[in-house]
């Protein structure tokens, strides 16, 4: 079977869930071949996890300055891997960084590019949600090696244990004049909750939460469910919650197993970022709120009465179980 290159998202020590999802997508087209870009030793630390989820080959693109430049080392590594194995496709996570890498790679390869796919069939036809969630389209690359970014959460990770062959890609020296270099790093505040794009459960609050203090009920329900906290653009613009938690067309796109929307009306901008969630639960006091029509389960009521009851019930069942 042909190889399908998968760019590995990682933190240097562990493989992100989004990469395991890409492995599942890649198996529809061929044999997943992981491309690890990092400092020396990174691929060795990640190889076991990659092999467990189906990587038949691990291409190690390592250099001491790989982490010091944005996008360019990943583009270089994928270009080298394409030349070496002539893959059926290249898959990348549809994050801000991933979309940039994919776009630059497609330009270098003079190849077709598909962004933010939510499904992919065995013939390479991708399903996308476009125009702010108004349309679902099916697209296929007709020129060169298909470069496709896949929305995190669109595929379920599937363990597929095997042995992965290790190969080395010699990264060229980065050209400082043509590459964006990292000059400083600042750690973002982090808690015990999973990241938005990796969480299987997301609980989001909107303008109906009423203020920053109102997000406490959102956080409590998210913690009870073991999920991540999100926010609508209206809530973020009003200063209720930090921008990095925004879900929507101008925020992060998510596709969890369960999405709970509290006090979110359902503007197109927000729906575009979460409507592919497997199960959607919406709580809103306005019976005409658009999101209630999209939800699998809709509750017309005061979120400050409904959400605490949900939290209490979830906590009780977890304790009993």
């Amino acid at each position: 079977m042909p190889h399908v290159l998968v760019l590995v998202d990682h933190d240097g020590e562990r493989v992100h869930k989004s990469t395991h999802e890409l492995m599942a997508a890649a198996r529809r087209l061929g044999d997943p071949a992981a491309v690890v870009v990092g400092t020396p030793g990174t691929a060795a630390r990640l190889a076991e996890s990659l092999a467990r989820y189906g990587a038949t080959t691990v291409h190690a693109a390592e250099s001491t300055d790989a982490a010091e430049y944005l996008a360019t080392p990943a583009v270089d590594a994928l270009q080298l891997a394409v030349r070496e194995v002539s893959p059926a496709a290249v898959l990348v996570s549809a994050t801000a960084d991933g979309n940039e890498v994919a776009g630059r790679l497609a330009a270098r390869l003079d190849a077709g590019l598909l962004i933010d796919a939510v499904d992919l069939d065995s013939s390479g036809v991708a399903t996308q949600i476009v125009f702010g969630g108004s349309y679902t389209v099916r697209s296929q690359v007709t020129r060169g090696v298909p470069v496709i970014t896949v929305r995190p959460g669109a595929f379920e990770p599937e363990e597929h244990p095997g042995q992965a062959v290790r190969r080395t890609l010699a990264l060229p020296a980065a050209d400082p004049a043509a590459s964006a270099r990292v000059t400083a790093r600042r750690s973002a505040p982090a808690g015990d909750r999973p990241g938005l794009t990796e969480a299987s459960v997301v609980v989001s609050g909107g303008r109906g939460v009423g203020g920053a203090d109102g997000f406490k009920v959102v956080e409590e329900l998210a913690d009870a469910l073991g999920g991540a906290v999100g926010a609508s653009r209206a809530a973020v613009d009003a200063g209720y919650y930090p921008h990095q938690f925004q879900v929507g067309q101008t925020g992060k796109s998510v596709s969890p197993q369960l999405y709970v929307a509290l006090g979110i009306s359902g503007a197109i901008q927000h729906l575009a970022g979460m409507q592919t969630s497997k199960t959607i639960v919406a709580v809103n006091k306005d019976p005409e709120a658009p999101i209630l029509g999209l939800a699998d389960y809709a509750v017309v009521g005061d979120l400050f009465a409904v959400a605490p009851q949900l939290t209490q019930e979830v906590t009780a069942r977890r304790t009993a179980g």
Side-chain angles (χ1 to χ4, degrees):
M1 293 182 70
H3 288 283
V4 180
L5 296 178
V6 171
L7 179 62
V8 176
D9 284 334
H10 63 87
D11 60 10
E13 298 295 332
R14 75 179 180 93
V15 177
H16 292 171
K17 179 186 173 187
S18 57
T19 297
H20 295 152
E21 295 168 3
L22 289 180
M23 295 290 185
R27 278 198 299 277
R28 295 189 178 183
L29 303 175
D31 291 328
V35 178
V36 178
V37 183
T39 53
T42 302
R45 292 191 293 272
L46 306 182
E48 181 181 351
S49 176
L50 294 170
R52 186 167 68 251
Y53 281 88
T56 58
T57 307
V58 175
H59 295 277
E62 300 174 331
S63 71
T64 54
D65 62 356
E68 300 305 314
Y69 291 90
L70 298 177
T72 301
V75 178
D76 289 340
L78 289 172
Q79 184 178 20
L80 288 171
V82 168
R83 289 175 178 171
E84 189 168 297
V85 303
S86 299
V90 179
L91 303 186
V92 182
S93 290
T95 60
D97 291 340
N99 286 338
E100 179 180 354
V101 168
R104 291 174 59 178
L105 176 66
R108 286 194 190 182
L109 299 177
D110 190 24
L113 170 68
L114 296 175
I115 294 290
D116 201 27
V118 297
D119 199 6
L120 187 65
D121 69 17
S122 59
S123 61
V125 176
T127 301
Q128 299 161 285
I129 310 297
V130 300
F131 295 120
S134 300
Y135 297 93
T136 299
V137 300
R138 287 164 58 81
S139 311
Q140 186 170 26
V141 170
T142 58
R143 180 186 181 92
V145 176
V147 181
I148 305 171
T149 71
V150 179
R151 180 178 297 190
F155 286 82
E156 276 297 297
E158 300 171 0
E159 290 196 15
H160 202 273
Q163 294 295 321
V165 177
R166 169 82 177 271
R167 298 188 182 278
T168 300
L169 297 174
L171 280 178
D175 179 4
S179 306
R181 184 164 192 167
V182 178
T183 58
R185 298 181 188 276
R186 182 176 62 189
S187 298
D192 296 330
R193 299 186 187 105
L196 263 179
T197 57
E198 298 219 341
S200 58
V201 176
V202 174
V203 181
S204 289
R207 200 197 321 259
V209 171
D213 292 340
F215 257 85
K216 183 178 179 182
V217 298
V218 180
E219 294 175 334
E220 289 174 345
L221 180 55
D223 291 340
L225 292 167
V229 173
S232 69
R233 178 173 177 174
V236 168
D237 288 348
Y240 297 173
Y241 222 64
H243 179 269
Q244 65 262 35
F245 297 98
Q246 181 182 328
V247 174
Q249 192 171 18
T250 55
K252 293 181 178 177
S253 294
V254 299
S255 190
Q257 292 298 308
L258 172 63
Y259 188 88
V260 182
L262 302 176
I264 296 175
S265 63
I268 285 294
Q269 195 280 144
H270 185 76
L271 299 184
M274 48 65 68
Q275 66 182 13
T276 57
S277 302
K278 309 307 182 289
T279 301
I280 299 171
V281 177
V283 180
N284 201 294
K285 63 182 180 182
D286 179 7
E288 302 300 321
I291 199 167
L292 299 182
L294 177 68
D296 298 287
Y297 300 94
V299 180
V300 178
D302 183 353
L303 72 91
F304 291 103
V306 176
Q309 292 182 62
L310 285 173
T311 301
Q312 184 178 10
E313 183 65 22
V314 170
T315 302
R317 292 197 179 197
R318 283 198 161 185
T319 301

